[in-house]
Amino acid sequence: MDYLAIKKQLHSKCKEQAQQRLDNIQKSVNAVQDAANLETRSTAGDKYDTSRSMMHLEQEKLAKQLSDAKASFQAIDQLDPNKTYDKVTHGSLAITTGGNLYFSVSIGKVDLEGETYFALSGAAPLANVLMGLKVGETGVFNGKKYKVLAVV
């Protein structure tokens, strides 16, 4: 199996999903801003103030999500899918007895060519267990063994 080609496809899908997330959050930010701009003071002042406060909280929440999405996109954008590795590290694809794992950004399940892969962040607890392992080595996470069968 050509794991390098698969890693390139995974990278592309992750980048695409990170961009979609970024675009969706930006649309939400714009919608909330537009709603805030249309809100007019009514005779019921308390209702207006409560509404403005809720919009402000929503804007803050979306600003945090937007910041996280930008960081995620930048993280995947900086990875070179053509680079190969001899141990599990950020940017590697690890084929293990516990699953196929792409250490990039936290996207989750990705199906390619009839196989399931999981894109996870290097900060994920499972990543902390497997980082640095070479082919043939085993890590244990939540009582489950992950033997590294291949690394690209």
Side-chain angles (χ1 to χ4, degrees), residues 32-94:
V32 168
Q33 184 60 49
D34 289 346
N37 292 341
L38 292 175
E39 184 76 16
T40 58
R41 183 175 277 285
S42 69
T43 54
D46 288 347
K47 180 181 174 188
Y48 171 81
D49 291 339
T50 300
S51 177
R52 293 293 288 184
S53 293
M54 290 179 69
M55 282 189 204
H56 182 71
L57 289 173
E58 183 67 16
Q59 285 173 323
E60 287 178 356
K61 181 180 85 171
L62 288 171
K64 170 74 170 113
Q65 289 177 358
L66 187 61
S67 175
D68 292 346
K70 284 179 181 178
S72 183
F73 182 82
Q74 288 173 345
I76 191 72
D77 195 42
Q78 291 176 355
L79 292 178
D80 180 359
N82 296 305
K83 187 172 180 182
T84 59
Y85 302 90
D86 64 347
K87 64 181 178 181
V88 177
T89 189
H90 192 68
S92 67
L93 169 62

Side-chain angles (χ1 to χ4, degrees), residues 72-131:
S72 183
F73 182 82
Q74 288 173 345
I76 191 72
D77 195 42
Q78 291 176 355
L79 292 178
D80 180 359
N82 296 305
K83 187 172 180 182
T84 59
Y85 302 90
D86 64 347
K87 64 181 178 181
V88 177
T89 189
H90 192 68
S92 67
L93 169 62
I95 309 303
T96 74
T97 55
N100 305 317
L101 309 167
Y102 181 43
F103 296 88
S104 55
V105 292
S106 186
I107 296 291
K109 183 178 175 183
V110 180
D111 291 317
L112 277 180
E113 300 178 15
E115 290 287 326
T116 299
Y117 299 85
F118 291 92
L120 63 150
S121 162
L126 177 57
N128 290 328
V129 169
L130 300 179
M131 289 288 183

